Amino acid sequence: VEIRVKGAKTLKNKKKIGLTIGNSNLVKTALFASDANWGRIMAAIGYSGIKVNPDKIDLFFNNVKMVGNGVSLGIDAERDATEVLKKREFAITVDLRLGKAEATVWTCDLSYDYVKINAAYRT
């Protein structure tokens, strides 16, 4: 999964938000379930420690706009976003609309095999 963060004030801000989203286990489990749970992404943005205006945020799954100005665009957008999440690869774009900085980070979902492998051994 490619996570694009646009419209940040600084490169550091956009990278921090992208990494917080990409490292969130709640986001990763939603991705595994093909669940267009935009609230988990918004929550990750919120706990990233970067000051944002949630009323300005736009959120896309590929080219499907799921959130506009911090608000869900409804059941049709969620249905279309869910179809995007069923693909092997896709992009999540977060537009903070606060500046001109952009960053991209990569992540993956948490699959059954990942959890099983990591639960099967001790260090």
Side-chain angles (χ1 to χ4, degrees):
V1 177
E2 181 180 359
I3 301 172
R4 303 174 187 146
V5 180
K6 300 169 49 176
K9 289 184 180 180
T10 68
L11 177 61
K12 181 180 176 182
N13 287 0
K14 67 183 178 186
K15 186 175 178 182
K16 173 80 173 184
I17 289 171
L19 289 171
T20 302
I21 294 167
N23 289 322
S24 166
N25 285 336
L26 290 176
V27 170
K28 288 175 176 254
T29 55
L31 298 177
F32 175 70
S34 300
D35 178 6
N37 192 328
W38 61 274
R40 290 184 178 181
I41 296 169
M42 295 291 279
I45 295 167
Y47 64 71
S48 71
I50 304 300
K51 186 176 179 181
V52 299
N53 181 345
D55 295 333
K56 287 188 169 189
I57 296 175
D58 292 339
L59 174 66
F60 298 81
F61 294 97
N62 279 352
N63 63 346
V64 176
K65 190 172 186 179
M66 181 74 210
V67 173
N69 297 320
V71 178
S72 169
L73 296 178
I75 195 77
D76 291 338
E78 186 169 341
R79 181 196 61 238
D80 294 344
T82 297
E83 289 304 311
V84 169
L85 294 175
K86 291 179 181 177
K87 297 180 180 192
R88 180 169 166 78
E89 295 181 4
F90 54 88
I92 297 170
T93 303
V94 175
D95 191 345
L96 302 171
R97 296 179 20 210
L98 296 173
K100 295 185 179 186
E102 296 186 22
T104 299
V105 299
W106 293 89
T107 193
C108 61
D109 64 11
L110 286 181
S111 66
Y112 291 121
D113 288 339
Y114 177 86
V115 174
K116 184 178 176 182
I117 290 167
N118 285 285
Y121 72 91
R122 291 177 41 173
T123 56

